[in-house]
Amino acid sequence: MQKSPSTSSLGPGGLDLAQAFFKPIQNCDPPSSTKRHTKISVIGVGNVGMAIAQTILTQDLADELALVDAKSDKLRGEMLDLQHAAAFLPRTKINASVDYSVTAGSDLCIVTAGARQNPGESRLNLLQRNVALFSNIIPPLAKYSPDSILLIVSNPVDVLTYVSWKLSGFPSNRVIGSGTNLDSSRFRFLIADHLDVNAQDVQAFIVGEHGDSSVALWSSISIGGVPVLSFLKNQQIAYEKQTLENIHKAVVESAYEVISLKGYTSWAIGYSVANLARSLLRDQRKIHPVSVLAKGFYGIDGGEVFLSLPAQLSRGGVLGVTNIHLTDEEVQRLRKSAETILEVQSQLGL
């Protein structure tokens, strides 16, 4: 199910019309073989996968986009729908196939595929089904794009990022989970809304599990370069800790609210993942709270676990984790979050 054939070969006998349309200038070199060609593959064309694909296209992040899904009819329909918007988008070659060979040579592979939870099914059983699904996804991605970066979006993202790392055999810097990048965006929005400022002027991180045990780093929040809690303390402005807890609770519950209202989340995660893709492929070296191998950080030594920490991202993946200061309480909560993830991993028998 490749991209529709180019119309340049519609001349008599399959003549390449491009040669007739364009006459080369004199004394020119052939096209450079070293010209950078950026390819992104998106695995899974559900609501999340297509929101990511659409955002990648509108933000001109790739020269080539490959889509993979097990449902061939839906896959072809989504491919054609995007191709038909070519006149309104930056030029991007779009391919789609149920065969993973279409992903060959990808710079970035984004995995959104995942099994749906059946009525009455336990979270552990769902996770085990997703692990089985990933055993059919990650090895072929690694085979066809051995130098790519894996960006895992499927939930539970921290555990599945760990699973992807094990299945791929990739170095840990090239296996990343979308983690709490979106949670932190929600966090910044709520703080900005609370204080009536622009969310882009709020520096704030949610770390740990992308889930109920996530940790809000209140001690390091700043607005316009001003540390919020220390400012309140110096100005002797009282605040209630419960107010802070309520904001964090709203972050954790926000995805559930969106799902209850529209049935799924898509646009925010689409922008979040495209934001990560830009930082990675454009070598932006920006800091994002994403799921990385956390062993050795903040006393997390109980095992190999992926969870979100503020990490610097580049063309090669994760450059390192920001040495951000945490309070004792934040460290304890982060370690507890790691233990929560490790407990789930221990039940998988990997």
Side-chain angles (χ1 to χ4, degrees), residues 18-333:
Q19 295 181 18
F21 269 37
F22 302 101
K23 183 177 180 179
I25 62 174
Q26 296 182 13
N27 301 320
C28 67
D29 285 335
S32 171
S33 60
T34 59
K35 185 177 182 295
R36 186 72 224 181
H37 179 87
T38 301
K39 180 175 180 178
I40 299 176
S41 291
V42 177
I43 316 305
V45 296
N47 296 313
V48 171
M50 291 313 298
I52 292 169
Q54 187 265 351
T55 311
I56 284 170
L57 289 173
T58 56
Q59 294 189 7
D60 195 14
L61 296 179
D63 300 297
E64 184 176 353
L65 178 66
L67 305 175
V68 178
D69 198 280
K71 298 179 180 178
S72 59
D73 287 347
K74 176 173 172 54
L75 180 61
R76 179 167 174 77
E78 295 289 7
M79 177 192 71
L80 291 173
D81 210 6
L82 291 178
Q83 288 178 349
H84 296 167
F88 316 115
L89 293 169
R91 184 173 183 267
T92 304
K93 181 179 181 182
I94 304 172
N95 293 324
S97 178
V98 296
D99 191 326
Y100 281 84
S101 62
V102 76
T103 67
S106 294
D107 298 285
L108 177 65
C109 295
I110 303 171
V111 182
T112 72
R116 290 180 178 270
Q117 190 166 14
N118 296 321
E121 183 179 25
S122 69
R123 292 182 69 182
L124 178 59
N125 191 69
L126 173 64
L127 177 56
Q128 289 171 332
R129 288 201 295 124
N130 272 321
V131 170
L133 180 65
F134 267 51
S135 68
N136 294 319
I137 293 175
I138 302 302
L141 289 178
K143 172 187 174 182
Y144 287 111
S145 301
D147 298 319
S148 70
I149 296 170
L150 293 178
L151 177 53
I152 311 304
V153 183
S154 311
N155 282 317
V157 67
D158 301 297
V159 175
L160 291 179
T161 304
Y162 167 80
V163 169
S164 299
W165 176 51
K166 289 296 186 182
L167 290 173
S168 68
F170 281 9
S172 60
N173 62 296
R174 289 200 284 119
V175 183
I176 305 167
S178 56
T180 58
N181 194 55
L182 177 53
D183 306 66
S184 296
S185 174
R186 291 167 172 151
F187 192 35
R188 293 167 66 186
F189 161 73
L190 291 171
I191 294 169
D193 192 54
H194 198 75
L195 299 176
D196 196 22
V197 298
N198 192 310
Q200 293 186 6
D201 290 325
V202 178
Q203 293 295 316
F205 292 120
I206 298 286
V207 298
E209 178 198 18
H210 172 59
D212 296 343
S213 72
S214 65
V215 182
L217 299 186
W218 288 102
S219 66
S220 60
I221 291 176
S222 66
I223 298 175
V226 179
V228 173
L229 295 191
S230 59
F231 172 80
L232 295 177
K233 182 179 180 181
N234 292 337
Q235 297 295 317
Q236 297 183 339
I237 300 174
Y239 66 91
E240 293 185 6
K241 190 173 182 180
Q242 187 58 45
T243 302
L244 308 185
E245 295 292 342
N246 289 341
I247 292 176
H248 180 215
K249 183 180 179 183
V251 171
V252 173
E253 295 178 349
S254 58
Y256 300 122
E257 181 181 9
V258 174
I259 292 170
S260 70
L261 292 170
K262 61 177 276 189
Y264 55 89
T265 62
S266 58
W267 296 119
I269 188 63
Y271 281 108
S272 173
V273 173
N275 182 243
L276 295 176
R278 177 182 295 276
S279 291
L280 290 163
L281 299 178
R282 298 281 174 83
D283 200 32
Q284 294 291 292
R285 301 188 176 228
K286 289 182 64 177
I287 297 169
H288 295 270
V290 289
S291 192
V292 298
L293 183 61
K295 186 175 182 179
F297 293 101
Y298 302 106
I300 299 173
D301 294 313
E304 294 173 330
V305 61
F306 278 71
L307 52 72
S308 287
L309 294 172
Q312 187 182 35
L313 304 184
S314 74
R315 185 83 193 191
V318 178
L319 283 177
V321 171
T322 307
N323 190 18
I324 191 170
H325 174 74
L326 307 186
T327 66
D328 291 342
E329 181 181 1
E330 289 168 344
V331 169
Q332 290 305 315
R333 289 189 175 189

